[in-house]
Amino acid sequence: MIRLEARPEPSRFWTYASPVLALLVTVVIGVLLFMALGKDPVKGLQVFFWEPIKSPYALGELMVKAAPLLIIALGLAVCFRSNVWNIGAEGQFVIGAVAAGGVALLADKTTGPWIIPAILLAGVLGGMLWGGITALLRDRFNANEILVSLMLVYVADMVLSYLVFGPWKDPNGYNFPQTKTFEAVTQIPRLMQGSRVNVGIVLALLGVLALWLYLFRTFAGFKQEVSGLAPSAARYAGFSSRRALWVALLVSGGAAGLAGALEVAGPIGQLTPYVPAGYGFAAIIVAFVGRLHPVGVVFSAVLMSMFYIGGELAQSRLGLPKSLTGVFQGLLLFNLLACDTLMAYRFKFSKSTMKGVH
């Protein structure tokens, strides 16, 4: 007989092994899924795990996808470590993109390179504004930040739709709901010729370093975590839980807004109704698979971007729906939640005895 037995203390080994086991289980389920769909599982796994890394160009596309996921997940890691449940990073991403797009539309042929920092700053401020709404409602009215931040995602989508269908619509765009293509001067600088990789990936890696230093090498980072996870202890020590709430949501919103700015002024080059790419929701999985640790988030962001690219390739090469990306993302999250049980519990094997009635 197999049963679960509570561990005397959480397992340090399974804290780090659980994501690896979750990935292996996801791969096994993926193989079964490809077989059920009548597809070669080897080819299926190849488009997800080999094609995105097989050439310099493929690696460049991988970094293009990984950069926004990594930036947003870093901000969410601050939130979740502070016990603030920001589920609305997607909305903050969209508003950051809108704010950045508004600045980009001001550029003309005479505009100088200064417009790029202005675009990025506008994106950060837009995301912080949207995250600040959630912080205000939680702080003043004790509103649930999960519901507020999630509902604001749909408000952000409506704001974007209003602008691209209305005042910002390109008059020469053949009635398509999109802004005009941004001027070349607004393009986020690329790192190499023949690739779409831009300085966003550099900013993301700098963010990893900055967050690691903040969380593990500063007293402010210590106060941030304590204020969120143990408010009573924080008040006793003189730390402000309100400050932790505002810092978490502003940092998270600013990071998501920066990712939105890099996206519209980088690969997209204009505002369209398709700016919401699901990065804000996928970054939640990235943050938890990476164990809310800046370095772990790097690896999980790369893995999640492989799922994005693999889903696109599965659609074009294997004739499978693009929604397969979401299936793999969901499988990874659920498997991680299941495997995390092993941190607090262990399997106990015992012999089953049958008592007869005499």
Side-chain angles (χ1 to χ4, degrees):
M1 181 179 179
I2 304 175
R3 61 185 178 87
L4 289 175
E5 181 183 73
R7 297 179 185 273
E9 60 182 26
S11 169
R12 189 173 182 83
F13 171 78
W14 282 110
T15 298
Y16 301 102
S18 175
V20 178
L21 179 60
L23 175 59
L24 293 176
V25 175
T26 301
V27 170
V28 171
I29 296 176
V31 168
L32 298 176
L33 182 61
F34 286 126
M35 293 174 64
L37 294 172
K39 304 296 182 180
D40 184 351
V42 175
K43 289 183 179 179
L45 293 179
Q46 184 178 4
V47 298
F48 275 91
F49 297 105
W50 170 243
E51 293 291 338
I53 61 172
K54 74 173 187 178
S55 67
Y57 178 80
L59 286 171
E61 290 299 298
L62 189 68
M63 286 188 281
V64 169
K65 294 287 188 184
L69 287 170
L70 177 54
I71 292 172
I72 299 171
L74 290 172
L76 290 176
V78 175
C79 269
F80 298 151
R81 277 180 169 269
S82 307
N83 201 29
V84 177
W85 295 91
N86 177 17
I87 309 299
E90 181 76 0
Q92 295 143 25
F93 173 89
V94 171
I95 293 299
V98 167
V103 173
L105 288 172
L106 299 176
D108 55 28
K109 301 295 183 183
T110 63
T111 304
W114 60 265
I115 194 70
I116 293 176
I119 289 171
L120 298 181
L121 179 61
V124 171
L125 293 177
M128 291 177 70
L129 171 65
W130 218 242
I133 296 174
T134 301
L136 178 65
L137 294 176
R138 163 71 187 275
D139 185 23
R140 295 294 183 184
F141 305 103
N142 200 30
N144 186 297
E145 74 271 19
I146 296 176
L147 295 177
V148 172
S149 60
L150 182 60
M151 292 300 101
L152 284 174
V153 173
Y154 303 102
V155 178
D157 288 345
M158 293 299 101
V159 170
L160 174 63
S161 295
Y162 165 74
L163 292 172
V164 297
F165 278 91
W168 288 2
K169 186 177 181 179
D170 183 6
N172 300 318
Y174 302 100
N175 209 33
F176 285 102
Q178 60 190 27
T179 66
K180 70 174 186 178
T181 303
F182 301 151
E183 298 289 341
V185 71
T186 67
Q187 179 75 40
I188 302 297
R190 298 185 178 184
L191 295 182
M192 60 190 76
Q193 290 287 343
S195 173
R196 297 196 302 161
V197 183
N198 57 42
V199 296
I201 191 65
V202 177
L203 295 177
L205 294 176
L206 289 175
V208 171
L209 177 61
L211 182 58
W212 184 83
L213 291 172
Y214 174 71
L215 290 176
F216 306 119
R217 290 294 182 271
T218 67
F219 185 56
F222 172 74
K223 289 196 298 183
Q224 181 69 25
E225 288 196 71
V226 172
S227 299
L229 295 175
S232 299
R235 284 193 296 270
Y236 182 79
F239 303 160
S240 172
S241 57
R242 290 182 61 194
R243 179 183 178 277
L245 168 70
W246 279 93
V247 168
L249 283 167
L250 291 179
V251 168
S252 180
L258 175 61
L262 289 168
E263 193 71 7
V264 295
I268 299 178
Q270 62 183 164
L271 285 175
T272 77
Y274 307 107
V275 166
Y279 288 150
F281 294 120
I284 297 173
I285 305 176
V286 171
F288 279 106
V289 173
R291 282 292 181 257
L292 305 182
H293 191 287
V295 177
V297 168
V298 175
F299 294 103
S300 57
V302 171
L303 175 63
M304 195 61 64
S305 59
M306 292 173 77
F307 285 171
Y308 269 104
I309 295 175
E312 295 170 357
L313 293 175
Q315 182 184 27
S316 60
R317 298 186 183 182
L318 302 178
L320 294 173
K322 190 178 178 181
S323 56
L324 196 63
T325 298
V327 172
F328 271 91
Q329 290 175 353
L331 283 173
L332 182 60
L333 177 60
F334 282 114
N335 288 331
L336 178 67
L337 294 174
C339 294
D340 277 354
T341 305
L342 297 174
M343 290 192 299
Y345 295 88
R346 60 189 170 197
F347 288 111
K348 186 73 173 180
F349 298 90
S350 60
K351 293 183 178 180
S352 177
T353 58
M354 296 292 291
K355 293 183 178 181
V357 180
H358 300 284

